[in-house]
């Protein structure tokens, strides 16, 4: 990789241009020049290589099998049926691993070769979707509570998130010049970046909007979280959006064996009116821009800025910059951080279906025809016109929203025909489980995650069954390394990759995304994983209280202690 620091690369990039044009034109290699590998992230793409063949190619003295991952910027993960069809065509034409729904409601395409990168980007933009700032040290795709049609509040929150996402885009025209052939005008490379400045943020930045009682976006894993506060029954403002509780300093990433890095849940710092969201977001971002650690990248996230400077000081600075004074936080209650599957009806009588997509991967492979099935559904909805939508969830699932009675019937038939009915047939454990991408595309993976999930769930289900826990609703998350892309530290049971076939077993988070789990066993293989869980399942089956969740049981029974990793719950007065 590059000899230059990321800070230098950003500074000298001419507002994210670097030598990307030249790198793309260079036909001698399938890779980009070193510094451009950093810069392309801001355009929504990563250079990767196929790790399944990496060693073999090295032995044969061949260049790594390089290709690119492309990630969309789709706030709240909303696309129309027509856009779905275009994304499907792009996946089929240019990529290798179908469509992948991410844990932040984006689409990823894997395996795009350099020579087809520009055409792929153009096709994505022709679908009226962009990839700008989907990666890099900027605000990333904004996560939003999944169903905008359940109530007017959901729709308002979605609209606000979309506007904020746009507002926080980099100002540079580099993206449009490089990918969309926009003419370069005088002064290009020096555009004003009022929010980011010349060196952008010290690190990635993530925002999520939650609408209680669902915490499907895991709002406390976000650098900046907005928790919608809705008028109570009988208060005179029933169902109206009153404003947001604001949470800052969440983050998952850590490095094995390095106590300087850790997952952290956000702190709720107060309540703001809905029209103060932009001012507060900008103030949090610019505070992090100016106060974040630019010398040590692994300590550069907002969570460390807060721990280094103190929460009160950061909050006061945000108030100063935004001109917004935080009111005391309002009570709130999250019921869960998973998705609710199947059909639901909104306030207005329209229908919404949440489908289970295992680890977010949609393709036709190994006998499945999920890509074809969703194509058939999108074709049907597109032909019907109307306002139906596809919506990705932050739990890697898919919502088909805003349907009438007849469409519901037609879709049900297609769901059956293409075996897209995992939401009906799978156990609660399988339905709620998350796994990050990991091997073979992720350059940082230490162990399998997405590819391992189905087999591990099979084995876990078998163990649960021996204790009569077949239907137990447990939240399992697997990450191939401690970076935590499946937000494993918020799972009741988590496997965090340590080496091929070996994981750290983390236990004891709650099911609402409000409590971190803790390390239970380190660096163990599958047999030891299952053997470690077995006695806990036995104990849980025998001693749990009515309705008690596994994570809560482990804490109550003292199997895991919150102190052991400095995990903490939210202040009780904030929970209704
Ligand atoms: Fe992530 C890096 C995939 C959500 C924390 N993440 C990566 C990279 C780009 C690997 C790399 O840097 O070379 C992975 C690409 C794998 C591949 O082949 O596709 C990757 N992250 C993903 C996705 C696709 C996981 C998934 O299975 O869905 C998610 C894409 C989200 C999106 O659409 O924007 C994804 N990543 C997350 C989340 C969850 C979230 O945002 O809610 C986290 C934890 C929250 C957080 O940021 O703290 C997360 N990813 C990281 C980190 C650790 C950051 C840190 O502060 O230490 C890295 C490594 C890094 O940044 O250096 C990373
Ligand atoms: Fe890759 Fe690690 Fe993220 Fe999984 S958690 S996608 S292995 S960086």
């Amino acid at each position: 990789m590059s000899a230059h620091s990321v800070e230098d690369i950003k500074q000298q990039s001419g507002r994210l241009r670097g030598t990307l044009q030249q790198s793309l034109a260079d036909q001698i290699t399938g890779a980009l020049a070193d510094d451009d590998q950093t810069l392309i992230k801001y355009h929504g793409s990563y250079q990767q290589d196929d790790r399944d063949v990496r060693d073999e190619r090295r032995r044969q003295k061949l260049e790594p099998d390089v290709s690119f991952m492309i990630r969309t910027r789709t706030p709240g993960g909303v696309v129309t049926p027509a856009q779905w069809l275009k994304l499907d065509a792009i996946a089929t034409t240019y990529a290798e691993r179908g469509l992948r729904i991410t844990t932040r409601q984006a689409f990823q395409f894997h395996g795009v070769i350099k020579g087809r990168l520009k055409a792929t980007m153009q096709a994505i933009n022709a679908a009226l979707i962009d990839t700008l700032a989907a990666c890099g040290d900027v605000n990333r795709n904004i996560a939003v509570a999944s169903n905008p049609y359940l109530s007017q509040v959901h729709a308002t929150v979605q609209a606000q998130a979309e506007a904020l996402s746009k507002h926080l885009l980099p100002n540079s025209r580099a993206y449009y010049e490089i990918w969309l052939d926009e003419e370069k005008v005088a002064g290009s490379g020096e555009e004003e970046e009022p929010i980011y400045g010349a060196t952008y943020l010290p690190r990635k930045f993530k925002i999520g909007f939650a609408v209680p009682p669902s915490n499907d976006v895991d709002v406390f894993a976000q650098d900046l979280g907005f928790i919608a506060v809705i008028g109570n029954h009988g208060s005179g403002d029933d169902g109206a959006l009153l404003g947001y509780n604001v949470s800052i300093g969440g983050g998952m990433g850590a490095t094995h064996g390095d106590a300087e890095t850790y997952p952290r849940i956000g702190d709720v710092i107060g309540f703001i009116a809905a029209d103060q969201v932009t001012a507060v977001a900008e103030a949090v971002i610019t505070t992090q821009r100016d106060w974040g650690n630019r010398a040590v990248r692994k300590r550069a996230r907002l969570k460390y800025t807060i721990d280094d400077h103190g929460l009160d000081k950061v909050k006061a600075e945000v108030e100063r910059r935004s001109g917004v004074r935080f009111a005391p936080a309002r009570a709130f209650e999250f019921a869960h951080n998973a998705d609710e599957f199947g059909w639901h009806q909104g306030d207005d009588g329209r229908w919404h279906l949440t489908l289970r997509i295992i680890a977010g991967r949609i393709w036709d492979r190994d006998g499945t025809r999920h890509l074809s099935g969703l194509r058939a559904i999108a074709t049907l909805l597109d032909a019907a016109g109307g306002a139906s939508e596809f919506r990705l969830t932050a739990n890697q699932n898919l919502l088909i929203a805003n349907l009438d009675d007849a469409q519901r019937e037609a879709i049900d038939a297609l769901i059956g025909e293409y075996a897209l009915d995992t939401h009906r047939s799978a156990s609660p454990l399988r339905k709620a489980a998350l796994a990050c991408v990991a091997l073979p595309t992720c350059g940082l993976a230490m162990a399998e995650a997405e590819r391992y999930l189905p087999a591990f769930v099979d084995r876990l289900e078998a163990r649960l069954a021996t204790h009569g826990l077949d239907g137990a609703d447990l939240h399992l998350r697997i990450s191939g390394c401690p970076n935590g892309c499946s937000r494993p530290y918020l799972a009741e049971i988590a496997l965090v990759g340590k080496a091929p076939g070996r994981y750290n077993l983390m236990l004891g988070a709650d099911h609402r995304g409000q409590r971190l789990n803790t390390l239970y066993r380190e660096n163990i293989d599958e047999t030891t994983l299952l053997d470690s869980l077995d006695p806990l399942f036995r104990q849980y089956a025998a001693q749990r209280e009515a309705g008690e969740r596994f994570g809560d049981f482990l804490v109550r029974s003292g199997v895991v202690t919150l102190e052991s990793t400095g995990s903490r719950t939210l202040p009780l007065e904030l929970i209704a």
Side-chain angles (χ1 to χ4, degrees):
M1 270 305 275
S2 176
H4 301 128
S5 74
V6 176
E7 287 302 311
D8 286 345
I9 295 170
K10 288 186 278 188
Q11 171 84 57
Q12 291 155 19
S13 68
R15 300 290 191 270
L16 307 178
R17 290 172 176 81
T19 55
L20 265 167
Q21 302 265 33
Q22 293 90 313
S23 266
L24 291 170
D26 180 356
Q27 293 183 11
I28 294 171
T29 164
L32 303 177
D34 286 352
D35 291 359
D36 295 329
Q37 291 177 29
T38 295
L39 290 176
I40 199 169
K41 297 178 187 178
Y42 297 77
H43 300 247
S45 177
Y46 265 73
Q47 180 175 310
Q48 303 183 316
D49 71 289
D50 183 345
R51 296 192 50 192
D52 282 347
V53 298
R54 189 188 273 180
D55 289 346
E56 183 53 31
R57 288 181 74 92
R58 202 177 282 148
R59 263 192 295 280
Q60 293 185 22
K61 303 204 173 4
L62 293 169
E63 186 182 64
D65 186 8
V66 171
S67 66
F68 292 81
M69 174 269 274
I70 302 177
R71 186 184 287 167
T72 62
R73 181 183 68 88
T74 34
V78 187
V79 296
T80 64
Q83 286 174 315
W84 181 278
L85 291 172
K86 290 188 175 133
L87 293 171
D88 171 344
I90 292 165
T92 315
T93 312
Y94 298 110
E96 278 183 345
R97 307 176 63 78
L99 284 172
R100 175 60 155 68
I101 301 175
T102 75
T103 51
R104 296 194 68 74
Q105 299 168 294
F107 292 93
Q108 278 191 186
F109 303 94
H110 289 102
V112 180
I113 56 168
K114 190 173 88 173
R116 309 177 96 185
L117 207 42
K118 191 163 168 178
T120 313
M121 289 292 212
Q122 292 188 342
I124 293 171
N125 278 272
L128 302 181
I129 293 171
D130 66 63
T131 65
L132 179 55
C135 317
D137 295 343
V138 281
N139 174 58
R140 302 292 190 88
N141 196 41
I142 296 186
V144 194
S146 278
N147 196 335
Y149 296 108
L150 273 184
S151 71
Q152 188 49 48
V153 166
H154 286 79
T156 307
V157 171
Q158 170 68 29
Q160 192 145 33
E162 284 177 21
L164 185 61
S165 173
K166 203 162 167 206
H167 180 75
L168 296 175
L169 281 174
N171 236 357
S172 166
R173 299 301 301 173
Y175 183 84
Y176 306 93
E177 284 166 20
I178 294 169
W179 307 109
L180 306 178
D181 297 328
E182 182 180 282
E183 203 144 317
K184 200 169 173 178
V185 292
S188 297
E190 292 158 25
E191 295 101 330
E192 275 285 305
E193 286 286 8
I195 298 175
Y196 294 117
T199 45
Y200 298 85
L201 298 180
R203 205 66 168 83
K204 56 177 69 165
F205 191 91
K206 297 180 172 178
I207 299 178
F209 285 76
V211 182
S214 172
N215 186 19
D216 55 354
V217 298
D218 268 331
V219 76
F220 301 112
Q222 313 286 333
D223 292 278
L224 172 59
F226 293 104
I227 303 165
V229 177
I230 304 168
N232 284 326
H233 289 294
S235 66
D237 35 38
D238 282 12
L241 177 67
L242 302 182
Y244 297 95
N245 283 326
V246 177
S247 158
I248 57 171
M252 295 280 100
T255 306
H256 284 310
D258 180 352
E260 291 284 286
T261 66
Y262 43 83
R264 184 184 191 282
I265 54 170
D267 289 290
V268 178
I269 55 170
F271 172 84
I272 60 165
D275 63 3
Q276 294 172 326
V277 160
T278 309
V280 167
E282 243 188 81
V284 174
I285 287 176
T286 58
T287 303
Q288 161 65 358
R289 177 195 67 199
D290 300 340
W291 292 16
N293 189 336
R294 288 187 188 260
V296 185
R297 229 178 129 67
K298 67 174 186 193
R299 289 276 305 177
R301 291 294 291 272
L302 177 65
K303 60 183 174 182
Y304 303 119
T305 311
I306 291 171
D307 286 348
D308 291 347
H309 290 260
L311 182 65
D312 290 345
K313 213 169 140 199
V314 172
K315 178 180 168 181
E317 182 64 11
V318 171
E319 288 190 323
R320 191 187 69 74
R321 290 184 186 220
S322 62
V324 171
R325 207 161 169 75
F326 286 97
R330 307 279 177 96
F332 60 92
E333 188 165 11
F334 284 124
H336 55 83
N337 61 351
D339 288 336
E340 291 181 280
F341 294 96
W343 288 102
H344 290 98
Q345 201 167 18
D347 286 353
D348 57 359
R350 306 282 289 176
W351 288 102
H352 319 289
L353 171 67
T354 307
L355 295 176
R356 171 65 183 146
I357 307 291
I358 292 179
R361 183 75 63 183
I362 304 170
W363 55 357
D364 290 356
R365 195 160 179 259
D366 302 331
T368 63
R369 291 191 300 148
H370 293 168
L371 195 62
S372 299
L374 290 166
R375 187 181 307 138
I377 292 174
T379 305
L380 183 119
L381 295 176
D382 186 40
S388 59
E389 277 177 345
F390 286 78
R391 238 187 109 95
L392 315 182
T393 82
N395 287 308
Q396 303 173 321
N397 294 314
L398 179 64
L399 184 74
I400 307 175
N402 210 10
L403 310 166
D404 61 29
D405 290 338
Q407 287 170 327
R408 176 181 167 163
E409 218 169 287
I411 285 173
D412 258 339
L414 290 169
I415 296 292
E417 185 182 337
Y418 289 92
L420 277 160
D421 55 356
T422 312
H423 63 288
R424 286 200 285 258
S425 55
S427 67
L429 167 75
R430 194 176 299 265
K431 283 198 284 195
L434 301 187
C436 73
V437 177
L439 294 163
T441 53
C442 177
L444 305 177
M446 300 171 172
E448 297 280 355
E450 179 185 321
R451 294 195 295 197
Y452 182 43
L453 182 77
F456 186 71
V457 170
D458 285 348
R459 282 156 215 159
L460 210 54
E461 281 175 347
R463 294 287 175 125
L464 286 165
T466 61
H467 302 290
L469 291 170
D470 315 54
D473 188 2
L474 304 185
H475 286 183
L476 164 74
R477 295 179 177 182
I478 306 180
S479 274
C481 84
N483 285 315
C485 299
S486 60
R487 299 185 292 270
Y489 309 108
L490 289 168
E492 293 175 292
I493 303 175
L495 272 53
V496 177
K498 192 89 202 262
R502 303 186 76 86
Y503 298 86
N504 284 355
L505 175 61
M506 318 278 303
L507 295 177
D510 67 0
H511 57 287
R512 299 169 304 170
Q514 294 185 176
R515 183 177 69 228
L516 292 172
N517 55 21
T518 183
L519 180 63
Y520 184 69
R521 293 276 184 273
E522 204 172 346
N523 196 17
I524 54 178
D525 63 12
E526 181 179 274
T527 308
T528 320
L529 278 168
L530 295 169
D531 290 349
S532 304
L533 287 166
D534 211 46
L536 302 179
F537 291 158
R538 185 178 314 116
Q539 217 177 319
Y540 177 54
Q543 298 167 13
R544 71 190 149 147
E545 290 172 355
E548 189 176 27
R549 301 279 312 209
F550 186 59
D552 295 338
F553 169 78
L554 294 177
V555 173
R556 180 178 63 81
S557 59
V559 172
V560 301
T561 51
L562 295 182
E563 291 76 15
S564 55
T565 56
S567 299
R568 61 204 162 81
T569 46
L570 290 167
L572 278 176
E573 67 271 16
L574 294 181
I575 302 170

